[in-house]
Structures are given as C-alpha cells and as structure tokens.
Amino acid sequence: ENRLRKLEERRFSDLKLREREHLQEWLANMPTALGEELLIIQKEFDGFDDTKERLDLLALDKNANLVIIENKLDDTGRDVAWQALKYVSYCSNLNKLQIVEIFQDYLKRHCGGGDAQALICEFLEAPDLGEVVINSGSNQRLILVAANFRKEVTSTVLWLLSHGIEAQCIKVTPFASDDELFLNVEQILPTPEA
C-alpha cells in the first residue's frame, strides 16, 4: 500500500518466549545473525570438570578461535559477565581433539550425524585438520546476547576490550506486527564503527 507500518517493540517475557527454547535455537540455526560466520559446535555445553554449569552456545569463528555465546532474554543480570568469563576460562584449555569430539557429539545429538572433522575443515577452508591450529593460547572470544545490558556488564566488556580480549554485546529486540514476530539484532559493543 506504499505506507510505512510501525512495529511494536515487545519484551520476550510478554511474548512468552524462552531463552533456551527460542533465542538459543534461533541463534544456533542462524549464527550469522550475530554479524559473522560462526560454526556452532555445541549447545548447552556442560563438559567442565567438577561443575554442572552449562554454557549456552559454543562456536568456532573463521580464525579457528572458540566463541562462547551467552544468551539472556530481557536483562543481562548482575552475574552474566562473571558467568561468561568462567566459561571462557573453562574452554581455554580445550585441545583440537576435544573440540572435534564436542562437535561430533553435537552432530549426533542435534543434527542426525555427520563428520565433525570434515565439517570443521570445510568451515575453515582447510584441506586437512592437521594443518589447522584451533583454540590457540588466549584467543577465545565472548559474545553476550540480551535485550538490555546493565552498566556493570557493559563496563566489564569495555575493560576486557581495552585489554585486548575480544568481547561483544549484541542487543536483541523483539518486535511484533499482527501475527508476525521480528527480531532486531545489533552489536552495541564494540560499536560497529570501532
């Protein structure tokens, strides 16, 4: 009709959307929504010794770095930065063989199977996994996803960035119009211009 139509900003809780069942699944199935190509290698990863904690999504980026993705719905909460930093530290010691096993388990449980080594090579555009260094040193990355970020979270992320640790805050906002649901995904830290 050649007219603009205003979308109504909503809250995840008002829409009865849940973190694990909705937001996490959306991102797992379309990780490019986070602004880059990522290979999701596990969700609800709980492979940490002596703890029952679970990180939301574990991925590889195109540089073969592990990316820890922690999702929250309407608010990041006070402890999300600490929680995510623990997960990054837990994942820092994962070696190539462990990462392949983690991904193979993911493929078996969530994708009906597949060859983890071959898919990692394809994603990294490498002819052989032996030629690739995965998860080297302290190059793990952190992506926090939420509708709103508390000051203590953004302050922590800015501090991490100033010390050369790659961390991002991605703001997700649901919008509705009639029976349609839209999700706006925007990186707020570091600013896209930076």
Side-chain angles (χ1 to χ4, degrees), residues 71-84:
N71 305 312
K72 300 296 177 200
L73 287 182
D74 292 319
D75 190 334
T76 53
R78 274 185 213 115
D79 300 323
V80 72
W82 170 243
Q83 180 185 15

Side-chain angles (χ1 to χ4, degrees), residues 147-179:
N148 292 300
F149 288 92
R150 292 182 183 216
K151 183 178 180 178
E152 56 262 44
V153 175
T154 56
S155 177
T156 301
V157 168
L158 288 169
W159 184 87
L160 291 168
L161 289 167
S162 73
H163 287 80
I165 299 169
E166 287 193 54
Q168 294 168 269
C169 289
I170 306 284
K171 183 177 179 178
V172 288
T173 310
F175 289 89
S177 175
D178 300 325
D179 292 335

Side-chain angles (χ1 to χ4, degrees), residues 177-189:
S177 175
D178 300 325
D179 292 335
E180 292 185 285
L181 180 64
F182 300 88
L183 186 68
N184 186 46
V185 181
E186 63 181 314
Q187 179 175 312
I188 59 168
L189 286 178

Side-chain angles (χ1 to χ4, degrees), residues 104 106-115 119:
Q104 192 64 59
Y106 174 78
L107 292 171
K108 182 178 158 190
R109 289 196 311 179
H110 302 288
C111 304
D115 182 344
L119 290 170

